[in-house]
Amino acid sequence: MAPMLRLYNTLTGAKEAFAPIDPDHVRFYACGPTVYDAAHIGNARPIIVFDLLFRLLRHLYGSAHVTYARNVTDVDDKINARAAERGITIRELTDGTLAQFHGDVRDLGVLSPEDVNRPGERPCFIEPRATDHIAEMVTMIDGLVRSGHAYVAADHVLFDVPSMPEYGQLSKRPLDEMEAGARVEVAPYKRSPLDFVLWKPAKPGEPAWPSPAGIAAPGRPGWHIECSAMSAKHLGQTFDIHAGGIDLIFPHHENEVAQSRCCFGTGVMANVWLHNGFLQVEGEKMSKSLGNFITIRDVLKDWPGEVVRLTMLRTQYRQPIDWTLRGLEESSRVLERWYNAAGDEPAAGDVPGSVVDALCDDLNTPAAINELHRLSGGPEAQPGALRAGANLFGFLMRTRSDREQDQVAASGIDVPAVEALIAERRAARAAKDWAASDRARDALAALGVAVKDNKDGTTTWTVAR
Ligand SMILES: [Zn+2]
């Protein structure tokens, strides 16, 4: 019997046993990037956490029985503004930013659609783009207007929040508090300050599509309707898990729920709502004005993606995380220890039950990592089990030897020069020419190489750290 997965559900405010609607098909949606700028490490957190959940679901239910959809928002005010600022087309900006995002997350060990989808089979990982789903959004908006949940005003279509009595159920905010928050600069065409945009007219030069609800002027969708349309198309009108950052609970997810439930007449949009906690940098909120704004690309210049991934997962996903240099250094030491313990042994046997059990407890990654520590040294060391457990996390995907070779390649060290110096040093030692031996040793150190003389008389070397 498979271990029981328990997840904390924002909708009910409790940790619950997870039971998919269709036991043969788990359906999971996560809000993906808005592709206007390089992704920062705060964006990396949900991507890594939900990648781990995707891996765990595949492990528990079988890879053919899980569908993960992570969308791309490629129509947005910020995108239009940035493209205009840089003097490039919107498509050039979104394609370029998306390509960079894909490169960044691949370096973080995050699975991509190409890694998991098999030709001729139902795709396991879908990455829908908003601009490919405008027709579905228009259909939904028309339906909401017809059923009295949305109205047209000044060429906008607005969702009529008071038409949905259960609005606020996900974020658990009292209506008057939400109204007070929304009252700042209320557009004059809104009936209630809480009403939100489903569709708006496009400004000249902006991307535009034929509008719904009989509006003559071309326009474009609001952000919230994108996720409602894409999740319904790819996962169904009600599905299992909807995930995103804690900052998306209100208004984005609350609005998604309102649109989807009112459009489809369903009792829930998704059964389980998962939200990851905030990320701070060295104890401060990350912001461009504080100068501590770190992109994924920046951090990958100094640290291997595996170190960044481990740093993110050493904190349980719902807790706030403080991103520090010390944390990265600690992760680097941990990985060094694991690589040395696993050596070149292949993964052996099943993923250790203790690791799976820890992850099944609402992705308790600190507990699961402790289990990997236990398998990496002392009397309970089991190199094959360590690798099997680490692989489920997306760690130790290479052997120690392969990793060392990669480190040599990445360091730009001149390998023939190193080999020549080692031969020179060996000859000098054989001739008891200690001065020449020391010169060769110093030259190797200057090249960034650590030399190790083994008991069997051979000499090996690695990149010095
Ligand atoms: Zn969304």
Side-chain angles (χ1 to χ4, degrees), residues 140-152 157-158 198 212-213:
M140 279 190 79
I141 294 170
D142 277 332
L144 287 166
V145 172
R146 262 199 316 273
S147 60
H149 289 291
Y151 59 93
V152 176
V157 185
L158 292 133
L198 300 172

Side-chain angles (χ1 to χ4, degrees), residues 29 31-32 71 223 227 242 248 252-253 256:
Y29 186 91
C31 295
N71 76 290
W223 173 36
C227 289
H242 192 313
L248 298 186
H252 183 53
H253 288 166
E256 282 188 38

